[in-house]
Amino acid sequence: MRPPRLLAALAGAATAGLVGVRAARAAAPPVRPSGTGGTAPAPDGPRPKAGPRAWAELFRVSALFTVPGDALAGAAAVGRAPGRGTALAVGASLCLYEAGMALNDWADRDEDAVDRPHRPIPSGRISPGAALAAAGALTAAGLALASRAGRPALAVASGLAATVWAYDLRLKHTPAGPAAMAAARSLDLLLGAVATGDRTPGGPSARAGRGAATPGGPGSGPASGPASGSASGAGTRTPGRGSAVPAALLLGAHTCAVTSVSRHEAQGGSTTAPLLALATTAALGAATLRERPEPGGPAPSTSGARTLALTAFTGAYLRTAGPPLLHAALNPSPPLTQRAVGGGIRAMIPLQAALAARAGAPLTGLAVMGLAPLARTLARKVSPT
C-alpha cells in the first residue's frame, strides 16, 4: 500500500474510533456523586413515581405487627380487659411508629445513598419532602388519637413522640441511641396501660361501666381500683398504676439489645453486640417465666392456662430471637446481622404475648401471638429493617 493510501486508511480508522467512543459515551448513563464516595448512575428521564410498594418499604409495614402488642400488654399489666381506650392507644402507637419510620429515612437519606441506594428516598421513588411531611402528619394523627383516650394518655403519647423525633434527628448515632429507642418502646406499653386504665370522668374506661372488685377477693385492697371482670383471661385483680412498669422495662431491655445490634447491620463486623443481645434475650426469658406474686394469686380457672401460655410464649420468644443472634455472633456478616435484627424485631410479638400471660391474661397473649404469622409472611416481601 502506498503511503498516501496508508495515511488515508489510518485517518479513516481513527475517525471511526472517535465516532465509536463518542457513541459509547452518549449511550452510557451519566454519573453523579453518591453520598460520601463513589459514583452512581444518574436517573434517566423523570423521577419514578412513589407507588404503594415504595411507601410500604418506607414505612417498613412488616414491622407494624409488632406495635399493637405494646398496648395490649400494657392493658393486661394493669389488670384490665382491652377496651376503647386500648384501641385508641393502638391507633396512636401505629401512627407514631410509622412517623418514626418515615423520619428515620429522611434523616438518613445521605447515608442510605451510600449504604442502601435501593431505599425509597435515595432511589428517587419518594422525595425527602414527602417523607418529612408524612412523618409530621402521622405524628399529629397519633397525638390526636391519644387525646381521645384522655389527658394522661396524651401526656404519655407526647413523651413518646418527642422521644421518636429526638432519636431520629439527634440521638440515633450517639451512645444514647439504644437507650432512647428502648424508652420509646417502654412508653408505648405504658400508653396502652394509661389509656386502658383512665377512669377520669367521661374517659373511655369510665364510659365502659365495668364493675368493682369483690371485697376480699384478688385485687382488693387500698392500692386496687375497679376490676375488669372480663372473660378475656385478665383475671379479677387490678394492681396499682405502677404495675405496668416492670413489663415496660422488660420490653425496653429487649429493644435496647436489638437496637445495639442494628447499628452494625449495614457493615457487619461486630461479634460483641449479638453476644450481648443473646445474653439479654436469655435473661429476659428467665425473668418473664418468673411469674409475679399477686395478692391472692390468679383465679383458679386461669392459673393453669396462664402457666401454659406463659411457657409457650416465652419459648417462642427465645426461638425467634436466639438462633439469629447466635449466627450473627459466630459470623458477623451484614446479611446475618440483618437477619438477627429482623428476628429481634419479630420476637417482640411473643415477648408481648408472654408479658400479657404473665399478668394473668393468656387470651390476650394468644390474640397478640396471632400477629406473628402475619409479620413473618409480610417480612418476606418487605424487610422490617
Side-chain angles (χ1 to χ4, degrees):
M1 182 179 294
R2 295 180 180 178
R5 291 182 179 179
L6 177 61
L7 293 176
L10 292 175
T15 302
L18 182 60
V19 171
V21 170
R22 289 177 177 174
R25 288 180 178 176
V31 295
R32 56 176 172 78
S34 174
T36 57
T39 58
D44 294 325
R47 178 188 295 268
K49 293 183 179 180
R53 171 78 185 189
W55 286 104
E57 291 179 11
L58 180 75
F59 290 136
R60 295 173 174 87
V61 293
S62 61
L64 267 181
F65 296 100
T66 70
V67 177
D70 290 346
L72 293 173
V78 294
R80 301 193 188 279
R84 179 177 178 272
T86 316
L88 289 169
V90 169
S93 298
L94 290 171
C95 289
L96 294 176
Y97 186 86
E98 292 294 47
M101 293 295 102
L103 185 64
N104 175 79
D105 273 29
W106 179 84
D108 288 350
R109 60 192 184 278
D110 293 334
E111 178 183 333
D112 286 345
V114 178
D115 295 330
R116 297 176 176 180
H118 61 278
R119 292 294 299 164
I121 293 179
S123 66
R125 290 175 292 159
I126 294 178
S127 68
L132 184 59
L138 286 167
T139 300
L143 294 177
L145 286 172
S147 68
R148 300 291 301 276
R151 279 179 287 185
L154 177 59
V156 176
S158 299
L160 173 58
T163 303
V164 168
W165 281 73
Y167 172 81
D168 284 332
L169 298 181
R170 183 70 178 176
L171 302 177
K172 181 178 181 180
H173 299 293
T174 70
M181 184 60 75
R185 272 288 177 172
S186 296
L187 286 171
D188 202 31
L189 188 146
L190 293 176
L191 174 61
V194 170
T196 306
D198 179 22
R199 288 189 173 266
T200 56
S205 295
R207 288 191 294 269
R210 300 190 181 99
T214 303
S220 63
S224 302
S228 66
S230 72
S232 69
T236 57
R237 58 172 180 76
T238 302
R241 286 183 179 271
S243 60
V245 172
L249 292 177
L250 290 174
L251 185 62
H254 172 79
T255 305
C256 184
V258 174
T259 305
S260 297
V261 177
S262 71
R263 294 159 79 94
H264 306 279
E265 63 180 335
Q267 290 84 19
S270 174
T271 299
T272 303
L275 279 177
L276 291 177
L278 186 61
T280 301
T281 299
L284 290 176
T288 303
L289 282 173
R290 251 193 328 267
E291 300 185 25
R292 292 183 304 168
E294 300 291 350
S301 60
T302 63
S303 178
R306 177 170 80 161
T307 301
L308 179 61
L310 178 59
T311 303
F313 299 155
T314 304
Y317 164 66
L318 294 174
R319 286 195 306 273
T320 304
L325 287 171
L326 178 59
H327 294 159
L330 295 175
N331 180 12
S333 62
L336 291 181
T337 303
Q338 292 167 14
R339 190 175 302 175
V341 174
I345 293 174
R346 292 193 305 275
M348 290 182 183
I349 295 177
L351 178 57
Q352 295 157 348
L355 292 175
R358 180 174 179 262
L363 293 185
T364 297
L366 189 62
V368 173
M369 278 300 296
L371 300 172
L374 300 175
R376 186 167 53 251
T377 300
L378 195 56
R380 298 190 185 104
K381 300 179 179 181
V382 180
S383 173
T385 65

